[in-house]
Amino acid sequence: MSENATFSPEQSCRKHTAAPAKSLSFVEGVSMIVGTNIGAGVLSVAYASGKAGFLPLLFWLVLVGSLTTITMLYVAESTLRTRKHLQLSGLSHRYVGRCGALIMFLSVCVNSVGALIAYMSGSGKLLHSLLGISPALGSMLFFIPAAGVLYLGLKAIGRGEKFISIGMVVMLTILIVATMLKDTTQMRYLLDGNWLYMVPVFNVVAFCFSAQYIVPEMARGFSDKPEKLPKAIMVGMGITFILLALVPMSVIALNGLDNISDVATISWGRALGEWAFFSANLFALCAMLTSYWGLGGSILTNIVDQFSPGDDSQPLRRFLLLLIVVIPPFILAYSGMVSFVNALYFAGVFSGVVLSVMPILILKGARQHGDLTPGWTCPALIIHPLLQSFIVLLYLCSAAYAIASALGHLPAGW
């Protein structure tokens, strides 16, 4: 561990000037987890598993979902041991050192920018399919409510996530039931695929469980009831797993592996009929919107944590910070440099490696140098060194595969 992590709590925390915390309800906290996770990832996993098939995808959903929940609980305990409300980059600076803070900040940026690029691109495609307008105009229409709620801050994000997440669950339930009742649905499609192509699917699945970044922000909202933070994480991740499994299951059972669009709800809705086409793509827009709020809010508060530009609740300052967050992804989405699925894939590669290592180091540092005795700690089973070594090794191997496949030495997954 760096020597930067060993001085006193007062010295080791930089001045943190984020907006004061506003209390979140338990449902709002769970909705932030679900809404952030159920974004572009849920729309892309069916396409990304086009060669591997549903069963390898399900395997990764179980494994990666479990491991991600564990690392999120590491971060949760660390926040409960820390008096100041720090984001992941701030926690890394406090307990790992300057180098750790820089790596974590880059991870937040890569993951969030990759996601926001995908949301800009995907929303344009969806609104083009729904309304016949140009993709660029569709992205602009999506941009207005996305950036507007992000500007209003944590409480607005929590409320927006709650209402839209409930609506998404209702829409998904209707679409899944309609899929199961459709006479052309073939459950045998779920057995198709080739396990040799399963490794690339891992990184897209890793991106789907991207709510690690919002745990410190949730901790701000649960500061008056910290014991609810780990419960909200586990419930939110459980709901996420169910939705991430049901959506590609329905899309693949209805269309087969050879007829899936990169934004899966486009082909899903067309196969069910006009009403479902609009419903499925409305769900997709809502999913992108809620995830945009979660990850956009995360990168904004991490910028505040890293550079301490002042109170981010000041209107002009927050507006300028918002421009830094939202404008580059829009430009990159229409630069032709990054595709929808590739944006998620490589974001998952880099952030996955960082988030496999850093929470372990943060928790170790928090247990040694934290200021508070938390009301909840991670069970001994999930902090066993063998489990932690497995987490790190799995993500490192996946990153090595991604680099090799990008260079053409190993097959890609789609």
Side-chain angles (χ1 to χ4, degrees):
M1 184 178 296
S2 168
E3 291 180 357
N4 293 327
T6 60
F7 26 86
S8 68
E10 291 75 19
Q11 290 173 313
S12 61
C13 286
R14 293 164 297 161
K15 183 180 179 182
H16 181 66
T17 51
K22 294 184 179 180
S23 180
L24 292 171
S25 70
F26 181 79
V27 173
E28 288 170 348
V30 170
S31 298
M32 286 184 70
I33 294 285
V34 176
T36 301
N37 284 329
I38 305 300
V42 75
L43 309 178
S44 64
V45 286
Y47 179 80
S49 60
K51 291 183 179 179
F54 177 73
L55 293 181
L57 170 61
L58 184 62
F59 171 81
W60 286 131
L61 287 173
V62 172
L63 182 60
V64 177
S66 300
L67 297 181
T68 303
T69 302
I70 289 170
T71 58
M72 291 172 73
L73 293 175
Y74 291 172
V75 176
E77 181 183 328
S78 301
T79 62
L80 296 179
R81 289 182 178 274
T82 308
R83 181 170 288 108
K84 288 191 176 182
H85 296 299
L86 300 173
Q87 299 302 313
L88 277 175
S89 57
L91 289 169
S92 299
H93 184 275
R94 167 79 190 272
Y95 296 122
V96 183
R98 293 183 185 277
C99 182
L102 178 60
I103 292 171
M104 180 58 78
F105 180 70
L106 290 174
S107 173
V108 172
C109 290
V110 169
N111 187 78
S112 297
V113 170
L116 300 187
I117 291 170
Y119 300 157
M120 284 298 171
S121 173
S123 62
K125 290 180 181 179
L126 287 174
L127 286 171
H128 171 70
S129 297
L130 287 170
L131 305 177
I133 60 178
S134 71
L137 179 57
S139 295
M140 285 298 297
L141 293 177
F142 172 85
F143 174 85
I144 295 170
V149 171
L150 197 57
Y151 173 82
L152 295 175
L154 177 62
K155 190 62 180 179
I157 292 172
R159 286 179 175 171
E161 299 268 19
K162 178 176 70 173
F163 291 116
I164 294 183
S165 293
I166 292 171
M168 286 196 300
V169 171
V170 172
M171 281 189 285
L172 269 184
T173 301
I174 295 171
L175 288 166
I176 290 167
V177 170
T179 300
M180 295 301 104
L181 296 176
K182 182 76 171 177
D183 56 1
T184 56
T185 297
Q186 299 287 336
M187 301 304 289
R188 62 181 176 83
Y189 289 149
L190 301 179
L191 302 178
D192 294 342
N194 189 336
W195 286 79
L196 293 176
Y197 293 98
M198 70 181 292
V199 177
V201 181
F202 173 91
N203 290 307
V204 177
V205 171
F207 176 85
C208 292
F209 294 104
S210 58
Q212 298 103 312
Y213 295 100
I214 70 167
V215 172
E217 189 71 357
M218 287 175 60
R220 294 176 66 203
F222 282 117
S223 59
D224 57 335
K225 43 186 178 300
E227 72 285 351
K228 292 189 179 295
L229 177 59
K231 296 178 182 177
I233 290 171
M234 289 185 280
V235 172
M237 291 297 284
I239 295 172
T240 295
F241 166 76
I242 293 171
L243 296 179
L244 285 175
L246 289 177
V247 170
M249 182 192 77
S250 300
V251 173
I252 293 171
L254 187 61
N255 295 285
L257 294 175
D258 298 327
N259 299 296
I260 302 172
S261 57
D262 57 350
V263 181
T265 50
I266 294 176
S267 54
W268 189 16
R270 283 174 177 160
L272 284 175
E274 186 174 350
W275 71 270
F277 178 76
F278 283 96
S279 298
N281 287 296
L282 180 59
F283 156 75
L285 284 172
C286 290
M288 290 183 184
L289 193 60
T290 55
S291 193
Y292 187 103
W293 291 336
L295 292 175
S298 173
I299 191 173
L300 192 151
T301 49
N302 272 278
I303 289 172
V304 173
D305 226 27
Q306 186 72 12
F307 299 107
S308 299
D311 183 359
D312 65 324
S313 65
Q314 295 296 320
L316 179 59
R317 184 175 291 120
R318 189 168 184 85
F319 178 74
L320 293 175
L321 288 170
L322 194 65
L323 292 181
I324 295 173
V325 171
V326 302
I327 297 300
F330 184 87
I331 295 172
L332 288 171
Y334 288 95
S335 67
M337 297 169 59
V338 187
S339 73
F340 180 77
V341 176
N342 283 337
L344 307 183
Y345 179 72
F346 288 105
V349 171
F350 180 73
S351 62
V353 172
V354 174
L355 287 173
S356 70
V357 177
M358 205 61 69
I360 297 172
L361 300 178
I362 290 172
L363 178 61
K364 182 180 178 181
R367 289 190 166 190
Q368 293 175 348
H369 306 291
D371 345 271
L372 304 172
T373 300
W376 177 88
T377 58
C378 293
L381 180 64
I382 70 170
I383 60 170
H384 194 282
L386 287 178
L387 176 60
Q388 294 179 340
S389 299
F390 173 73
I391 293 172
V392 173
L393 182 62
L394 178 65
Y395 280 88
L396 286 175
C397 289
S398 178
Y401 188 102
I403 294 170
S405 65
L407 296 174
H409 300 308
L410 289 171
W414 51 86

